């Protein structure tokens, strides 16, 4: 079984860190912590690279806060420079996951396989076969230092629906996750307030709304979108 070694220098390369910073700032470039890092981007990336190469880098303090969705949830948000490290790691290990995809489809002959980053779904008519795949996949992942999440390696009928990529996917339709709708509804109210105070421009609001609509429109969400936007008003001054 193939293993991968000596990936760390590639993860820490300036080119990879620069690419990671582009990805980390997507949709967040107007936030203060992102602006402060980007203002002196080159020096900040070199400093981050030095910490990674010397082994002195440590994760920063997570910002913790609660959000009220279907239930109250504690959110832990990583500092911006830590998110750059996360993206740098993903840039390098993603090709490894691509090989994993090939192994699932070609060697295990599982035709109906879907993966997004580190989440994946396998479909088959045999419940017994799906259960038998779990130890085989666990062994494969252990070779690259990964493991299946013990609470998410479930086998169940598709009629129950599957949570994947922000949707509840059922045999004949898709629903937007309830938590997604609650979260964006709160965001709309906050953007409306900031716009009224002159602290947020219309271009940023439009970009955020169009991005969410693009995601939500892949689900059966017309009624939800109509109701949500009928309740919010943007007025300046």
């Amino acid at each position: 079984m193939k293993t991968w070694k000596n990936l760390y220098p590639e993860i820490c390369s300036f080119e990879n860190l620069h690419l990671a910073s582009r990805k980390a700032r997507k949709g967040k470039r107007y936030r203060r912590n992102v602006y402060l890092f980007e203002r002196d981007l080159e020096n900040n990336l070199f400093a981050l690279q030095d910490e990674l190469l010397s082994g002195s880098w440590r994760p920063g303090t997570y910002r913790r806060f609660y959000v009220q969705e279907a239930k109250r949830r504690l959110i832990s948000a990583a500092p911006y420079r830590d998110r750059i490290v996360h993206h740098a790691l993903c840039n390098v290990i993603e090709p490894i996951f691509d090989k994993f995809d090939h192994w699932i489809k070609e060697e295990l002959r599982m035709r109906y396989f879907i993966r997004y980053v580190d989440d994946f779904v396998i479909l088959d008519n045999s419940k017994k076969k799906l259960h038998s795949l779990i130890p085989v996949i666990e062994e494969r992942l252990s070779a690259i230092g990964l493991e299946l999440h013990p609470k998410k390696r479930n086998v169940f009928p598709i009629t129950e629906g599957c949570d994947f990529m922000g949707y509840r996917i059922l045999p004949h339709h898709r629903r937007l996750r309830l938590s997604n709708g609650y979260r964006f509804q709160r965001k709309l109210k906050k953007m409306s307030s900031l716009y009224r105070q002159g602290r947020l421009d219309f271009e940023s609001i439009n970009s955020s709304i169009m991005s969410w609509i693009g995601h939500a429109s892949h689900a059966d969400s017309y009624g939800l979108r109509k109701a949500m936007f009928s309740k919010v008003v943007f007025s300046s001054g």
Side-chain angles (χ1 to χ4, degrees), residues 84-169:
I84 293 176
V85 175
H86 299 167
H87 280 285
L89 178 61
C90 288
N91 289 344
V92 174
I93 67 173
E94 182 62 29
I96 298 174
F97 278 118
D98 290 341
K99 291 181 175 63
F100 176 77
D101 295 352
H102 177 81
W103 176 74
I104 290 279
K105 292 179 179 179
E106 302 301 326
E107 295 190 31
L108 296 186
R109 298 187 181 279
M110 300 308 300
R111 180 179 178 184
Y112 301 107
F113 167 78
I114 308 165
R115 181 183 63 81
Y116 178 72
V117 191
D118 60 348
D119 287 334
F120 66 87
V121 176
I122 301 175
L123 303 173
D124 194 79
N125 289 324
S126 171
K127 185 177 180 179
K128 182 178 180 180
K129 185 175 182 179
L130 290 172
H131 275 293
S132 71
L133 289 175
I134 293 176
V136 177
I137 293 173
E138 285 181 322
E139 181 181 358
R140 182 75 176 190
L141 289 175
S142 68
I144 54 175
L146 299 175
E147 60 183 15
L148 294 176
H149 194 295
K151 294 183 179 180
K152 295 183 178 180
R153 52 182 185 184
N154 303 316
V155 177
F156 53 87
I158 61 173
T159 52
E160 291 184 8
C162 175
D163 277 336
F164 193 63
M165 294 181 64
Y167 304 101
R168 184 71 176 174
I169 303 173

Side-chain angles (χ1 to χ4, degrees), residues 174-187:
R174 288 185 298 270
R175 297 174 184 166
L176 198 65
R177 243 185 227 161
L178 283 176
S179 59
N180 187 298
Y182 285 126
R183 184 165 53 248
F184 191 71
Q185 189 172 44
R186 288 198 309 275
K187 186 174 183 179

Side-chain angles (χ1 to χ4, degrees), residues 7-235:
L7 296 177
Y8 197 64
E10 185 178 350
I11 294 171
C12 300
S13 71
F14 183 85
E15 293 77 11
N16 187 45
L17 290 174
H18 186 267
L19 174 61
S21 73
R22 301 300 89 186
K23 293 181 178 180
R25 81 170 190 180
K26 189 175 181 180
K28 300 178 176 67
R29 60 186 305 175
Y30 296 106
R31 295 185 181 181
R32 178 173 173 76
N33 59 339
V34 179
Y35 167 76
L36 292 174
F37 192 94
E38 294 278 323
R39 189 170 61 180
D40 193 15
L41 179 63
E42 185 173 310
N43 285 331
N44 284 328
L45 287 180
F46 274 126
L48 181 58
Q49 182 187 43
D50 287 343
E51 290 178 30
L52 290 168
L53 290 174
S54 67
S56 63
W57 177 81
R58 296 291 183 274
T61 302
Y62 277 57
R63 182 170 62 92
R64 290 180 168 82
F65 55 94
Y66 285 94
V67 297
Q68 187 66 47
E69 295 172 348
K71 59 182 180 179
R72 197 166 185 247
R73 295 173 55 227
L74 176 63
I75 302 297
S76 297
Y80 180 62
R81 71 197 311 265
D82 287 11
R83 294 202 298 272
I84 293 176
V85 175
H86 299 167
H87 280 285
L89 178 61
C90 288
N91 289 344
V92 174
I93 67 173
E94 182 62 29
I96 298 174
F97 278 118
D98 290 341
K99 291 181 175 63
F100 176 77
D101 295 352
H102 177 81
W103 176 74
I104 290 279
K105 292 179 179 179
E106 302 301 326
E107 295 190 31
L108 296 186
R109 298 187 181 279
M110 300 308 300
R111 180 179 178 184
Y112 301 107
F113 167 78
I114 308 165
R115 181 183 63 81
Y116 178 72
V117 191
D118 60 348
D119 287 334
F120 66 87
V121 176
I122 301 175
L123 303 173
D124 194 79
N125 289 324
S126 171
K127 185 177 180 179
K128 182 178 180 180
K129 185 175 182 179
L130 290 172
H131 275 293
S132 71
L133 289 175
I134 293 176
V136 177
I137 293 173
E138 285 181 322
E139 181 181 358
R140 182 75 176 190
L141 289 175
S142 68
I144 54 175
L146 299 175
E147 60 183 15
L148 294 176
H149 194 295
K151 294 183 179 180
K152 295 183 178 180
R153 52 182 185 184
N154 303 316
V155 177
F156 53 87
I158 61 173
T159 52
E160 291 184 8
C162 175
D163 277 336
F164 193 63
M165 294 181 64
Y167 304 101
R168 184 71 176 174
I169 303 173
L170 292 112
H172 303 294
H173 66 285
R174 288 185 298 270
R175 297 174 184 166
L176 198 65
R177 243 185 227 161
L178 283 176
S179 59
N180 187 298
Y182 285 126
R183 184 165 53 248
F184 191 71
Q185 189 172 44
R186 288 198 309 275
K187 186 174 183 179
L188 276 176
K189 292 179 180 178
K190 183 177 181 180
M191 290 192 298
S192 175
S193 175
L194 292 174
Y195 183 67
R196 187 168 55 252
Q197 299 170 35
R199 296 169 56 193
L200 188 66
D201 61 82
F202 183 77
E203 181 183 349
S204 300
I205 294 171
N206 187 61
S207 176
S208 180
I209 289 176
M210 293 308 295
S211 176
W212 183 81
I213 289 176
H215 174 73
S217 62
H218 290 289
D220 299 310
S221 62
Y222 176 76
L224 171 66
R225 285 179 278 146
K226 185 177 179 180
M228 190 175 292
F229 289 115
S230 69
K231 297 177 182 178
V232 64
V233 176
F234 289 92
S235 60

